[in-house]
C-alpha cells in the first residue's frame, strides 16, 4: 500500500534536512509525518505501528541517532558467530586466554604472594627477611633488591599451569554445565552453573597442581632469608621437590587449592555467566567487548572477596618447608593465632588488582579467541 501524497511528503522531508533512514520504505511516510509531530517513541506511534504491523519508525529526527549508531549497539571486536564454537575450540581458547592474562598480570600475582607469606614464622627462624609495604612498594622493593626479572619469576611454570588449568576449568565449563542442565529446560539454573564450576575447578586443580606448587615456590623464592635460592630452574624445581619431598610434595596443598578454586570458579565463571546473561536479557549491552569487560570486572571482585582467605592459607601451605605445618588445618590455625582474621585478607589489594585485571584480560581474550577459531574453521561442504 502507498500512502496518499507519499512522493510529495518525501520531497518535503528531504528538502527540510530530515533524512530518510531507508528509501525502500517510502510507503510509510504518512506514518513518518506522525513521527515528526509526536516523536519516534510516543505512545501514539508505538500503538499505531503495532496495529499496522509496521516495524519501529525508520526516519531520523534532526540530531538523532539510529539504533545501529547508538553506543550500546556499536560492535567492538568480532561479531558473535552464527555457529557456536566446539568444545575443543573452547578448550584451546581458554588455555591461550589464560596465558595472555598471566603475561599481563604476573607481576601483580608475584606481589600478592610476597605479601601473603610476609610475617609467617619460618623454620629455621630468621629475621633477615625483606619487608614489603603495599602493592607498589612490594614491586619497587623487588626491582631494587632482586632486579626487574624477579617480577616474572616462575612465569614458565605459570604458563604451563594455565595451558592445563585454564583449559579445563574454563574451556570445559559450558560442556559440563550442559550435563547438569535437565533435559528440556529452557535455561540453565544457578545450581547447574555452580556444580559445573565446582566440577571443572576440582578436576583442573588435580591435573595442574604440580605446576601451581612450582609457580608459588619461584614467586616466593626471593623472599627467602640470606638470599638463598631453592631452585635453578623450572625443571630443577620439579626434580628437587620430587626428590626431597616425594611425589606427594608436587601435590602439596591440593585440598585447600580445590576449595579455593571451587570458590573462585563460582565467583568467576558463575558470576560472569550471570552478569553477562542479565546484561543481554535486559538489552543494556550487546554481546561484545564492553559487555565482556563489565561482566569480567564484577566476576573478579566477587571472586577476590570470597576466595582471599582460602588463597592465603593455600599460598602459605604450598610455600612451607617440610615440617613447618602438620596439615592444612595447622596452617590455618597458625595464621589465625598470629595475625587474627585480618591475616586472611593479607594481600587483598594486589589480589583484587591481579584477579580483577586477570579476569578482564582473560574473558575478553577468551570470547574473541573463540570467534577467531570459528572464523578460521574451514567451511564444510
Amino acid at each position: 500500500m502507498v500512502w496518499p501524497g507519499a512522493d510529495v511528503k518525501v520531497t518535503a522531508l528531504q528538502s527540510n534536512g530530515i533524512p530518510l533512514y531507508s528509501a525502500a520504505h517510502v510507503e510509510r511516510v504518512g506514518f513518518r509525518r506522525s513521527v515528526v509531530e509526536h516523536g519516534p517513541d510516543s505512545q501514539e506511534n508505538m500503538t499505531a505501528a503495532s496495529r499496522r504491523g509496521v516495524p519501529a519508525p525508520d526516519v531520523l529526527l534532526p540530531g538523532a541517532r539510529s539504533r545501529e549508531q547508538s553506543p550500546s549497539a556499536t560492535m567492538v571486536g568480532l561479531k558473535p558467530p552464527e555457529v557456536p564454537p566446539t568444545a575443543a575450540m573452547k578448550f584451546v581458547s581458554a588455555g591461550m586466554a589464560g596465558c595472555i592474562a598471566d603475561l599481563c598480570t604476573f607481576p601483580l600475582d608475584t606481589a600478592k604472594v610476597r605479601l601473603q607469606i610476609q610475617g609467617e614464622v619460618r623454620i629455621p627462624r630468621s629475621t633477615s627477611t625483606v619487608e614489603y609495604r603495599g602493592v607498589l612498594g612490594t614491586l619497587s622493593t623487588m626491582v631494587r633488591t632482586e632486579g626487574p626479572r624477579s617480577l616474572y619469576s616462575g612465569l614458565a611454570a605459570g604458563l604451563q599451569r594455565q595451558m592445563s588449568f585454564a583449559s579445563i576449568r574454563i574451556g570445559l565449563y559450558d560442556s559440563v554445565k550442559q550435563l547438569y542442565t535437565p533435559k528440556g529446560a529452557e535455561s540453565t539454573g544457578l545450581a547447574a552453573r555452580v556444580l559445573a564450576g565446582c566440577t571443572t575447578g576440582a578436576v583442573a586443580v588435580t591435573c595442574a597442581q604440580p605446576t601451581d606448587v612450582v609457580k608459588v615456590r619461584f614467586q616466593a623464592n626471593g623472599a627467602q632469608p640470606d638470599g638463598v635460592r631453592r631452585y635453578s630452574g623450572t625443571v630443577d624445581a620439579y626434580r628437587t621437590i620430587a626428590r626431597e619431598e616425594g611425589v606427594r610434595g608436587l601435590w602439596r596443598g591440593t585440598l585447600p587449592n580445590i576449595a579455593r578454586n571451587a570458590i573462585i570458579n563460582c565467583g568467576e565463571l558463575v558470576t560472569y555467566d550471570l552478569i553477562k546473561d542479565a546484561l543481554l536479557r535486559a538489552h543494556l549491552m550487546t554481546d561484545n567487548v564492553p559487555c565482556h569487560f563489565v561482566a569480567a570486572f564484577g566476576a573478579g571482585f566477587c571472586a577476590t572477596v570470597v576466595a582471599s582467605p582460602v588463597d592465603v592459607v593455600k599460598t602459605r601451605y604450598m610455600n612451607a618447608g617440610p615440617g613447618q605445618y602438620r596439615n592444612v588445618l595447622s596452617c590455618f590455625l597458625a595464621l589465625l593465632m598470629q595475625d587474627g582474621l585480618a591475616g586472611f585478607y593479607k594481600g587483598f589489594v594486589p589480589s583484587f588488582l591481579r584477579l580483577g585485571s586477570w579476569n578482564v584480560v582473560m574473558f575478553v581474550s577468551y570470547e574473541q579467541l573463540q570467534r577467531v577459531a570459528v572464523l578460521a574453521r574451514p567451511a564444510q561442504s
Side-chain angles (χ1 to χ4, degrees):
M1 173 183 178
V2 178
W3 294 86
D7 52 344
V8 177
K9 293 180 177 63
V10 170
T11 304
L13 285 171
Q14 291 177 334
S15 63
N16 289 326
I18 303 176
L20 291 179
Y21 177 66
S22 174
H25 297 157
V26 174
E27 67 273 15
R28 296 204 300 270
V29 172
F31 176 50
R32 290 191 179 95
R33 182 177 62 183
S34 177
V35 171
V36 174
E37 294 173 354
H38 301 290
D41 296 323
S42 65
Q43 186 64 36
E44 294 88 344
N45 286 320
M46 298 308 293
T47 305
S50 62
R51 285 199 307 266
R52 295 181 176 91
V54 178
D58 291 342
V59 65
L60 290 180
L61 298 179
R65 291 185 176 187
S66 68
R67 290 179 178 84
E68 287 77 7
Q69 294 173 325
S70 64
S72 61
T74 302
M75 181 58 62
V76 179
L78 298 175
K79 295 181 179 180
E82 296 181 0
V83 179
T86 63
M89 291 179 180
K90 293 180 179 180
F91 186 87
V92 175
S93 297
M96 294 176 63
C99 289
I100 294 172
D102 253 24
L103 286 170
C104 296
T105 63
F106 204 81
L108 292 173
D109 191 37
T110 303
K112 177 205 71 172
V113 170
R114 295 292 180 90
L115 288 169
Q116 286 178 339
I117 65 174
Q118 180 170 260
E120 67 176 333
V121 178
R122 301 196 62 83
I123 300 175
R125 292 175 179 270
S126 175
T127 58
S128 59
T129 55
V130 178
E131 184 176 357
Y132 302 107
R133 295 181 181 276
V135 182
L136 295 179
T138 300
L139 295 175
S140 62
T141 300
M142 290 176 61
V143 172
R144 186 177 65 254
T145 59
E146 305 170 42
R149 293 183 61 182
S150 63
L151 299 178
Y152 283 90
S153 180
L155 178 62
L159 296 181
Q160 293 170 10
R161 174 178 179 266
Q162 292 301 337
M163 284 307 298
S164 54
F165 183 69
S167 296
I168 295 172
R169 81 177 183 94
I170 298 171
L172 298 183
Y173 170 75
D174 286 332
S175 300
V176 175
K177 182 174 67 175
Q178 294 303 317
L179 293 177
Y180 286 120
T181 303
K183 293 183 177 179
E186 295 182 358
S187 61
T188 304
L190 179 61
R193 299 174 198 254
V194 172
L195 286 173
C198 292
T199 301
T200 56
V203 174
V205 168
T206 304
C207 296
Q209 182 69 4
T211 61
D212 203 11
V213 172
V214 171
K215 179 183 78 76
V216 170
R217 297 284 181 92
F218 265 101
Q219 289 176 317
N221 209 23
Q224 299 302 313
D226 305 320
V228 176
R229 293 294 183 268
R230 292 183 182 180
Y231 317 109
S232 60
T234 305
V235 176
D236 178 61
Y238 288 114
R239 290 175 178 172
T240 302
I241 294 173
R243 183 177 64 251
E244 296 181 355
E245 305 174 38
V247 177
R248 292 180 60 183
L250 292 171
W251 271 267
R252 173 181 285 272
T254 300
L255 289 179
N257 211 11
I258 287 177
R260 170 185 179 269
N261 279 284
I263 295 172
I264 283 186
N265 255 23
C266 293
E268 283 182 353
L269 296 176
V270 177
T271 304
Y272 176 82
D273 216 5
L274 292 173
I275 294 176
K276 180 183 172 183
D277 279 356
L279 292 173
L280 296 179
R281 288 177 184 273
H283 302 290
L284 297 175
M285 290 184 169
T286 54
D287 191 4
N288 55 21
V289 172
C291 175
H292 306 155
F293 181 94
V294 172
F297 188 84
F301 180 78
C302 292
T304 307
V305 170
V306 298
S308 187
V310 184
D311 191 31
V312 174
V313 174
K314 180 218 74 165
T315 299
R316 289 203 171 189
Y317 189 69
M318 289 170 62
N319 184 58
Q324 186 168 350
Y325 302 114
R326 290 193 304 273
N327 49 42
V328 177
L329 181 59
S330 68
C331 179
F332 176 89
L333 294 175
L335 176 62
L336 181 62
M337 296 295 294
Q338 182 179 346
D339 298 319
L341 293 176
F344 293 106
Y345 283 91
K346 274 195 169 185
F348 179 83
V349 173
S351 289
F352 172 63
L353 291 177
R354 189 261 173 182
L355 202 54
S357 58
W358 191 93
N359 271 270
V360 168
V361 176
M362 191 282 298
F363 277 115
V364 171
S365 301
Y366 178 50
E367 297 277 7
Q368 296 300 307
L369 286 171
Q370 289 183 83
R371 298 173 185 185
V372 170
V374 172
L375 292 175
R377 182 171 55 181
Q380 297 180 357
S381 58

